[in-house]
Amino acid sequence: MKNSNIFFLLLLFTFSVKAQTSITLPDKPEMITVEGGTFTMGDTEMEGEKDEQPTHQVTLKTFKIAKTETTVLQWRVYCDATGTKMPPSPIYGLKDNNPIVNVNYEEVMEYCGWLSKKTGKLYRLPTEAEWEYAARGGNKSKGYKYSGGQKLDLVAWFGDNSRGEENLVGLKTPNELGIYDMSGNVMEWCNDWYNDSYYATSPAINPQGPKSGSNRVLRGGSWYHSASFCRVAFRSGNRPSDRYESRGFRVVLSK
């Protein structure tokens, strides 16, 4: 009976450790294929701001998007290879499988250029439309408000459950395509210029965003934000030179 209890306790401990450990990540991003298709972009539930309207049909080509946010480890490999200085570390520190934060749009573009040159493949930031399509689950979408489900606590780190800091990638439930953390943990840079009225004139096929602007699009909400910011339709923007502890990114690979 004693041996049986010891075995049970060891099993419980092992499960607990696994539950608190994020997915193992390589030093370059693991990519998920998002098959092309047509979806309704914007605030389909009428819960957001005016910049999420009007809803409109968008058709996209097939592309690949990173399974998780770009990690500290992946960014450190880049810094070591190029002599680039690591960004300021948040007060809570960063682990290898944390999302990299405090990187601005301009620095992210340099990383994408380095990764493309290193691999011979074209890595870039997602367009805003690609980001939302992937977050919604692509052509496997079940119409969730958040990326991966209707219960935010199960799919995202946000203001109510994050303990005031970002968390390891890949701990929450992924969405229909197997993509993690597109709601919460860190807001993610997109390639588009931000314009609050762009949806009224957005092209229906592979939109690339406005031709100019002062802010770049950010998507997804973060560990700092309330639930409303973590909706798949939510959109915001910051200056390309801005850096915050709640901002990160993930890359796209053109097929």
Side-chain angles (χ1 to χ4, degrees):
M1 185 69 175
K2 182 184 290 186
N3 289 340
S4 177
N5 288 339
I6 292 174
F7 175 78
F8 175 76
L9 289 172
L10 286 172
L11 186 65
L12 185 63
F13 174 77
T14 301
F15 176 80
S16 176
V17 168
K18 286 183 177 180
Q20 297 176 46
T21 304
S22 69
I23 58 178
T24 302
L25 294 173
D27 61 2
K28 62 182 179 180
E30 182 178 351
M31 308 301 289
I32 299 290
T33 298
V34 183
E35 297 292 342
T38 300
F39 76 109
T40 302
M41 186 172 181
D43 181 20
T44 55
E45 298 183 327
M46 300 298 292
E47 294 185 8
E49 303 296 328
K50 290 182 179 179
D51 66 347
E52 299 171 22
Q53 293 289 340
T55 57
H56 53 290
Q57 295 294 106
V58 171
T59 300
L60 296 173
K61 300 176 183 177
T62 297
F63 59 95
K64 293 183 179 181
I65 194 167
K67 189 173 185 177
T68 73
E69 313 94 301
T70 299
T71 66
V72 172
L73 172 61
Q74 290 162 357
W75 191 268
R76 184 178 289 117
V77 170
Y78 157 66
C79 289
D80 290 345
T82 61
T84 303
K85 186 179 179 181
M86 287 286 287
S89 180
I91 192 170
Y92 48 77
L94 290 174
K95 302 178 180 69
D96 278 353
N97 276 13
N98 275 128
I100 188 66
V101 294
N102 275 331
V103 289
N104 62 37
Y105 173 89
E106 296 159 349
E107 292 166 333
V108 169
M109 294 302 289
E110 291 176 3
Y111 170 84
C112 290
W114 168 81
L115 187 59
S116 297
K117 185 176 180 180
K118 175 186 176 183
T119 62
K121 301 176 181 180
L122 180 58
Y123 285 93
R124 56 179 175 81
L125 284 176
T127 66
E128 184 176 14
E130 287 173 334
W131 191 97
E132 184 170 325
Y133 183 54
R136 288 183 177 277
N139 58 19
K140 296 182 179 179
S141 176
K142 297 180 181 178
Y144 296 136
K145 181 191 301 188
Y146 310 110
S147 185
Q150 293 294 97
K151 295 182 179 180
L152 186 56
D153 190 60
L154 297 180
V155 301
W157 297 107
F158 68 115
D160 287 358
N161 68 4
S162 68
R163 306 179 303 277
E165 62 184 41
E166 65 177 84
N167 287 265
L168 303 181
V169 303
L171 290 179
K172 292 294 185 177
T173 303
N175 75 359
E176 298 93 321
L177 295 175
I179 307 170
Y180 291 84
D181 302 325
M182 294 198 80
S183 286
N185 216 13
V186 294
M187 294 194 81
E188 300 180 14
W189 288 107
C190 292
N191 191 60
D192 303 31
W193 289 108
Y194 173 80
N195 184 312
D196 61 5
S197 60
Y198 178 66
Y199 281 10
T201 59
S202 173
I205 299 176
N206 295 311
Q208 302 296 305
K211 292 182 178 180
S212 62
S214 56
N215 292 333
R216 293 285 183 176
V217 170
L218 283 156
R219 286 300 207 111
S222 78
W223 57 267
Y224 172 81
H225 289 107
S226 64
S228 179
F229 288 75
C230 298
R231 296 174 296 107
V232 291
F234 176 80
R235 56 196 304 255
S236 182
N238 280 137
R239 294 173 301 180
S241 60
D242 286 347
R243 63 176 80 245
Y244 295 94
E245 293 182 5
S246 58
R247 275 36 166 194
F249 73 103
R250 76 179 69 216
V251 294
V252 155
L253 182 61
S254 296
K255 189 173 180 181

